[in-house]
Amino acid sequence: MHRHVRCVAWTLLLIGAVAVGRPSWAQGLDPSSHRQVAAGTTTTASPAAATGPGTTAAWASAGWTYLRDTLPSTAYHGNSYNGAVGADVQATDRLILGAALSGEDTELVTTFNSGHLNTTGYGFNPYAVYTLTNNFYVDGLLGFSWLHNDLDRSSGSVVANYDSFRWLANVDLNGRFTDGPWQYLPVIGYLYVHQNDDSYAETGTGAGSVPSQTAIVSQGRFGGKIGYTIGEWVPYVGARWEHNFIQPGITIAPGVPGGSPSTSRDDAYIQVGVNATLGSAWSGGLEFNTMQKSDQQTYGLLGNIRYTF
């Protein structure tokens, strides 16, 4: 059962990394256009105050995700909460630099071993956006997170805890094309996540020890969003194909109900949301999203608000 817990935990690694690697910090960060532009998962485009070198802004975001695994041998379900606050400055006509502090809390019921897994932590995330042309720009982010994990199994008769350190790198090439009120926002991106988990010793009846572990996920994605401007509001829909070039494998011992999970490396990510310009300095957005993969699904809400000084 020890290995089950750690192997299931890698999916949480990706959930936490995605919350950081696709945040709402990118809202309004296309320095060449003086417009609110999609540069991640949460925004499309709507008119905003003009910007220029020296312009600063502050923002906040919060998200909730329900996640589940339906395969009996690895089954779990629960909720993940994340939030971030950040600020950035337009350094040149084409470059914006910023940084954010993030936090996360994931609470799972690990049905497969009659237990629970709770992961909490905080992170530091510097980022940058650079405009290439009037229609294309690049955004990049580094993330560093310090995590603490509490777990139990066998209906609480065995307990343990351990710490983790996660770092990630995320880069996206974004497009922006308009046709009247329509906004077409393609994106191709790459996410690399590396997490080290400390070793730990369990306590309780049937307790054991688990060695340290390193988990790596390397993910590419391609998709986009389509938005329609209605005054100061921009409702949108989006979809993305995601492929894990590298992901930890899970092998279940013969005879365990459900057997080993799917080896699929692909999933579909779908978004429906709305963004708004709230006066000359405020902007914000709200989004529903879902990830669908063999045996695994997530459903989430993400909101953000941004103020340009």
Side-chain angles (χ1 to χ4, degrees):
M1 287 299 183
H2 303 155
R3 189 179 180 205
H4 288 192
V5 172
R6 277 287 175 81
C7 289
V8 168
W10 84 261
T11 64
L12 304 186
L13 173 155
L14 191 55
I15 291 295
V18 163
V20 174
R22 302 189 192 122
S24 58
W25 54 264
Q27 178 176 342
L29 297 189
D30 180 1
S32 70
S33 68
H34 295 173
R35 298 174 65 86
Q36 295 291 332
V37 178
T41 62
T42 62
T43 61
T44 49
S46 58
T51 62
T55 299
T56 58
W59 57 267
S61 69
W64 160 81
T65 301
Y66 173 78
L67 52 156
R68 69 179 182 183
D69 185 310
T70 56
L71 187 69
S73 56
T74 57
Y76 62 81
H77 65 273
N79 298 283
S80 182
Y81 308 91
N82 64 82
V85 294
D88 47 69
V89 59
Q90 185 162 337
T92 71
D93 287 338
R94 292 180 176 270
L95 178 64
I96 287 176
L97 300 173
L101 298 175
S102 60
E104 59 188 88
D105 180 12
T106 299
E107 301 174 1
L108 289 186
V109 176
T110 52
T111 311
F112 70 90
N113 68 351
S114 301
H116 301 83
L117 177 62
N118 182 24
T119 298
T120 58
Y122 62 92
F124 173 69
N125 315 285
Y127 59 87
V129 180
Y130 186 79
T131 296
L132 301 173
T133 70
N134 287 336
N135 295 109
F136 292 99
Y137 57 99
V138 176
D139 65 68
L141 173 141
L142 294 174
F144 307 92
S145 296
W146 293 263
L147 309 171
H148 180 74
N149 308 273
D150 292 295
L151 63 89
D152 66 72
R153 61 183 178 88
S154 302
S155 300
S157 62
V158 178
V159 299
N161 66 81
Y162 62 95
D163 293 325
S164 304
F165 174 73
R166 180 180 69 220
W167 70 268
L168 65 87
N170 181 86
V171 62
D172 294 305
L173 173 62
N174 306 274
R176 182 192 70 254
F177 302 90
T178 61
D179 182 11
W182 291 98
Q183 312 285 335
Y184 303 99
L185 306 163
V187 61
I188 183 169
Y190 177 75
L191 174 68
Y192 181 88
V193 190
H194 185 283
Q195 181 164 312
N196 293 320
D197 296 327
D198 291 345
S199 61
Y200 65 87
E202 297 177 320
T203 59
T205 304
S209 60
V210 179
S212 61
Q213 173 180 285
T214 297
I216 296 174
V217 175
S218 169
Q219 183 186 89
R221 54 188 180 271
F222 175 76
K225 292 184 285 190
I226 298 176
Y228 188 87
T229 303
I230 306 173
E232 302 300 309
W233 298 84
V234 185
Y236 65 88
V237 296
R240 193 165 45 240
W241 166 71
E242 300 178 335
H243 176 79
N244 292 336
F245 299 104
I246 301 172
Q247 66 181 28
I250 302 177
T251 301
I252 304 300
V256 175
S260 295
S262 168
T263 58
S264 172
R265 295 174 178 268
D266 300 291
D267 68 72
Y269 189 85
I270 301 169
Q271 308 153 276
V272 178
V274 63
N275 297 290
T277 300
L278 311 172
S280 61
W282 291 94
S283 58
L286 182 66
E287 177 185 287
F288 167 80
N289 53 65
T290 179
M291 184 277 291
Q292 299 291 317
K293 184 179 182 180
S294 298
D295 304 323
Q296 298 175 3
Q297 302 85 39
T298 70
Y299 304 89
L301 288 173
L302 178 64
N304 66 80
I305 192 163
R306 178 178 176 86
Y307 182 80
T308 302
F309 296 94

